[in-house]
Amino acid sequence: MGGGLGGAAGGQGRQGRRPGKRLTADPRLRAELELCERYGIPHSRLLGGDGRWSDLDRAKALAWQGWQRTLCPDCRTRAEEWDPAKGGHQHAYVTDTVRCPGCELIAQERDQVPEGRPGYGIKITLLPRQAYDALHGDDPPNGR
């Protein structure tokens, strides 16, 4: 692989930039690389290329993977964003409360799952009404 590609991909660049700097500053690049990851395609393909993985595509994919590892698995923020010494802010985010009717329905159904062994392996999913009716006929789930 050629030198200097990492800088363009968010990796260690020629001027000693820290890994992920471009990814941190460029939300569009993050969104594009997220799509590339989801579909298993190189970035150049997303941009209209022939679909072959170039050195730059590989560098971008590796930079994306490294950047993802810096995210908290729960809240998906990065420690740098909260640290004023690293250009962040102690109030970089604020909480917002929203109610999701789908999650509410799942939580209600979860209350019906038995404790212990009888409840092991039970998964609760949401199906569109038409899909449920097609699978189960006209009988509403649990009398609803």
Side-chain angles (χ1 to χ4, degrees), residues 6 9-11 19-20 23 33 57-69:
L23 284 168
L33 292 175
D57 288 321
R58 285 187 288 279
K60 286 178 180 178
L62 289 169
W64 173 247
Q65 182 182 51
W67 194 83
Q68 287 288 320
R69 289 180 180 146

Side-chain angles (χ1 to χ4, degrees), residues 5-25:
L5 294 175
Q12 190 67 28
R14 283 177 242 163
Q15 287 83 32
R17 294 181 294 184
R18 66 186 186 275
K21 187 173 182 180
R22 179 169 173 213
L23 284 168
T24 299

Side-chain angles (χ1 to χ4, degrees), residues 28-81:
R28 182 181 175 111
L29 179 61
R30 289 194 307 272
E32 289 173 354
L33 292 175
E34 184 177 4
L35 278 175
C36 291
E37 179 183 38
R38 179 175 297 145
Y39 294 113
I41 61 171
H43 189 241
S44 60
R45 173 71 176 170
L46 181 73
L47 300 178
D50 64 11
R52 287 181 278 188
W53 284 83
S54 68
D55 288 345
L56 183 56
D57 288 321
R58 285 187 288 279
K60 286 178 180 178
L62 289 169
W64 173 247
Q65 182 182 51
W67 194 83
Q68 287 288 320
R69 289 180 180 146
T70 68
L71 299 176
C72 170
D74 294 325
C75 72
R76 308 296 291 164
T77 66
R78 298 170 50 251
E80 269 185 14
E81 295 176 286

